[in-house]
Amino acid sequence: MSILLPDRPADGAPAPARRLPVPPRPHAGRAGVGLAVVVGLLVAAHVVAIRQTEVSITALIDGWSGITRFLGDAFPPDLTWDTVVRPGIEATITTFWIGLLGTTLSIPLTVVLTVLGARTTTPNAVVYQVARAVMSFLRAVPDIVFALIFVTAVGLGPFPGVLAILLHNAGVMGKLWSEAVEEMDQGPVTALRTTGAKRPQVLAHAVLPTVVPQLIGLLLYRLDVNVRSSLVLGLVGAGGIGFLINKSIKLFQFDEMLTYILIVLVLIVVVDQVSGAVRRRLAR
Amino acid sequence: MAETGAGLRVRGLTKSYGDRHVLHGVDVDVAAGELVTILGANGSGKSTLLRCVIGLERAESGTVLVAGESRTSQPTSVAMVFQKIDLVGRYTALDNVCSGALGRLSGARSLHPRLFPRSLREEAMACLDEVGLADRAHDPVRRLSGGQQQRVAVARALCQRPSVLLADEPVSALDPAAAEQVMGVLARIAHQGLAVLAVLHQPDIARRHSDRILGLRSGRPVFAGAPSEVDLAEVDALYAVPAPRPSEDR
């Protein structure tokens, strides 16, 4: 008799399909209770959050006239070339340089933090914990706070913006890169270890070539984010288009502000498209 | 049986994971110029034995001698080919083979394939030629078939200049034709003077290519001998499992 197929009757007619009762799913009741508890906690957290943040639809409706007045002042945008558009484009390019330099200059520090802060490459547990703590600190301090500190240290302008992006990005990208390194297939690492390869050789010939496409993808994603962050840093005196937007708001020149925002929009779209295209190409 | 002095000698290897004893004082001899195959069911300790021999796992007791000396005193003397082909997909076949020599390279020139000495690249070409892939030297290995990739892994092991080559289920993921090719390569390089110890799940392939077959059950050798001496019933008994039966409590 076949184990898998039911016996076929002698007359050639198909045998009735064999059936077995489905056993109950183990711990099904407990999982349902757990899910209900999680959903309940999430709902409670959102109710508290709405109260604490004073979210109010009526306040939004009451303030609608203010928003329409603001939009009325902003339209049409001021397209004066010499005093608005050209300075806006130049400042936007400066904003891009801040994001680019902050990202690029953070790479050496990020590489060190990645190697020391990934479980699979760190020399020991103490170094791992220290590296993770440094990354957590750099991530926990917002780039705008770093910018304020550096503005007081080195003065107004794009340079404090670059320094702020550099430090904050090293924390964020170090975490992303070290996780990518930890999640990589350890097969090539083990294989090279059996050849007698030393630690730097294993890093150079197994870890790096395996994860580099992912690391570059994450780097481009961070460039995208950092260009947008460098815009905000301008609001606290770190130069670039953010500085001009802040100035136009303070002077109630909302039509000028709208022009700057439109120029920024073009920059963000271009960076997003280019980095997205490169990342898609790397993923192939 | 060939003289084992120049090959691998394993004595009394014992390994446990907690309360589970995986190897019970296993002895294995593989002479230079000999291909020995270990057969055994999943969990019988075959892979653990190889990993203890090369030092990826620490055995509780026992000795591993290569050419009469402790393996730990000559760490590059044993090379290993894995079931999962652990090459760097972005590297070319030649670069992957060169990386087998990293154990005897040092300094900045060992940190990037383009900096490898010409002599190493020529040696790696010879290793690729040994496995029949010299014409694919500059192909990224991710573009090669599974069988070709496994042969590149064998070439990388050869580039390590080992005395002993271990192969942990090297053909399990390959189709029959590729499996024959890989085993043919392993048998040929064994007969050129290397001691080769392979773990397989295919008794027929083991019979065709091995000089000796060792049966392992629950961490203990249960038979050993030339393919013609090994009783088929003993091989079948290694994989014997109770036949599945439909449940009766319907």
Side-chain angles (χ1 to χ4, degrees):
Chain A
M1 175 190 142
S2 160
I3 293 166
L4 299 174
L5 298 174
D7 285 337
R8 184 176 282 267
D11 61 3
R18 184 171 167 243
R19 295 182 182 193
L20 280 177
V22 178
R25 217 181 270 271
H27 315 305
R30 227 186 298 165
V33 172
L35 182 65
V37 169
V38 169
V39 170
L41 285 172
L42 280 172
V43 169
H46 282 79
V47 169
V48 173
I50 286 169
R51 286 194 182 162
Q52 293 291 313
T53 55
E54 299 171 9
V55 170
S56 162
I57 300 294
T58 50
L60 189 63
I61 293 166
D62 291 346
W64 185 246
S65 59
I67 292 171
T68 53
R69 196 169 57 247
F70 172 81
L71 290 174
D73 289 345
F75 279 98
D78 184 349
L79 297 177
T80 314
W81 174 254
D82 283 339
T83 55
V84 181
V85 178
R86 197 178 67 190
I89 291 172
E90 286 169 358
T92 302
I93 292 170
T94 303
T95 292
F96 175 74
W97 296 145
I98 295 171
L100 178 73
L101 264 187
T103 308
T104 309
L105 295 180
S106 72
I107 291 175
L109 178 57
T110 306
V111 168
V112 173
L113 290 173
T114 299
V115 172
L116 302 181
R119 280 184 207 281
T120 48
T121 54
T122 192
N124 60 58
V126 175
V127 172
Y128 169 80
Q129 291 298 345
V130 171
R132 299 300 288 195
V134 171
M135 283 190 267
S136 297
F137 170 75
L138 295 176
R139 272 200 323 279
V141 179
D143 44 14
I144 201 159
V145 173
F146 276 131
L148 284 166
I149 294 168
F150 285 121
V151 162
T152 57
V154 299
L156 293 171
F159 185 45
V162 172
L163 294 173
I165 298 262
L166 188 164
L167 286 185
H168 184 70
N169 192 59
V172 178
M173 210 157 70
K175 178 180 163 61
L176 296 173
W177 279 14
S178 56
E179 282 171 359
V181 168
E182 282 177 356
E183 284 164 16
M184 73 166 265
D185 175 16
Q186 289 299 304
V189 172
T190 307
L192 278 201
R193 272 174 52 208
T194 63
T195 69
K198 291 160 260 320
R199 190 184 173 74
Q201 293 170 332
V202 173
L203 277 174
H205 293 288
V207 178
L208 266 184
T210 307
V211 297
V212 148
Q214 280 169 277
L215 302 193
I216 293 176
L218 291 167
L219 178 72
L220 289 169
Y221 163 70
R222 286 303 303 168
L223 171 67
D224 190 351
V225 172
N226 288 339
V227 168
R228 276 175 276 157
S229 296
S230 59
L231 185 151
V232 180
L233 299 186
L235 299 177
V236 295
I241 190 72
F243 188 73
L244 294 187
I245 290 173
N246 191 28
K247 192 185 78 178
S248 58
I249 290 172
K250 283 180 177 166
L251 298 174
F252 300 102
Q253 290 167 332
F254 299 125
D255 52 349
E256 209 173 282
M257 177 209 70
L258 182 61
T259 306
Y260 296 144
I261 287 174
L262 291 174
I263 295 170
V264 166
L265 185 66
V266 172
L267 172 73
I268 298 298
V269 169
V270 168
V271 171
D272 181 51
Q273 290 297 314
V274 171
S275 71
V278 177
R279 272 183 277 160
R280 279 193 297 278
R281 194 176 168 78
L282 284 170
R284 269 190 240 150
Chain B
M1 191 181 111
E3 176 57 47
T4 57
L8 174 70
R9 171 159 287 186
V10 177
R11 285 290 173 272
L13 215 58
T14 306
K15 174 71 183 173
S16 313
Y17 295 107
D19 295 338
R20 197 164 66 86
H21 297 287
V22 181
L23 297 175
H24 299 267
V26 176
D27 297 342
V28 183
D29 288 317
V30 187
E34 189 183 35
L35 168 58
V36 175
T37 299
I38 302 177
L39 294 176
N42 287 333
S44 59
K46 309 180 301 295
S47 297
T48 305
L49 172 63
L50 296 198
R51 293 174 72 84
C52 287
V53 168
I54 202 165
L56 285 173
E57 304 271 353
R58 189 186 291 268
E60 274 118 40
S61 62
T63 54
V64 177
L65 302 178
V66 177
E69 291 180 37
S70 168
R71 184 203 63 82
T72 49
S73 66
Q74 33 179 350
T76 62
S77 61
V78 182
M80 187 155 169
V81 174
F82 296 84
Q83 176 191 0
K84 197 169 131 296
I85 303 161
D86 292 318
L87 301 168
V88 175
R90 298 174 68 82
Y91 272 17
T92 64
L94 183 65
D95 292 342
N96 269 287
V97 175
C98 285
S99 67
L102 287 171
R104 57 178 190 273
L105 293 180
S106 58
R109 291 196 71 180
S110 71
L111 295 179
H112 196 278
R114 296 221 175 142
L115 303 175
F116 287 153
R118 174 184 282 270
S119 57
L120 170 59
R121 301 178 73 77
E122 288 172 353
E123 183 180 339
M125 274 305 297
C127 295
L128 271 176
D129 187 46
E130 195 68 46
V131 300
L133 287 172
D135 58 331
R136 309 299 300 268
H138 292 300
D139 286 3
V141 290
R142 64 167 182 260
R143 291 203 200 133
L144 302 181
S145 69
Q148 290 169 332
Q149 290 186 13
Q150 194 59 292
R151 281 189 280 153
V152 172
V154 172
R156 177 175 65 183
L158 291 179
C159 200
Q160 190 179 325
R161 296 185 196 163
S163 304
V164 176
L165 175 61
L166 309 176
D168 188 6
E169 298 186 32
V171 298
S172 289
L174 306 182
D175 64 50
E180 281 296 326
Q181 259 186 324
V182 170
M183 285 310 296
V185 166
L186 288 178
R188 196 175 67 244
I189 59 179
H191 296 150
Q192 287 169 1
L194 217 60
V196 180
L197 178 60
V199 159
L200 288 181
H201 268 309
Q202 298 86 346
D204 52 333
I205 295 180
R207 282 177 168 277
R208 275 198 296 280
H209 294 285
S210 312
D211 298 303
R212 281 190 301 125
I213 297 176
L214 176 79
L216 202 65
R217 186 191 296 141
S218 304
R220 289 190 175 88
V222 287
F223 64 80
S228 57
E229 297 166 357
V230 172
D231 184 355
L232 275 176
E234 283 185 308
V235 175
D236 287 345
L238 289 177
Y239 299 99
V241 289
R245 292 177 193 286
S247 57
E248 291 173 5
D249 54 345
R250 269 175 278 160

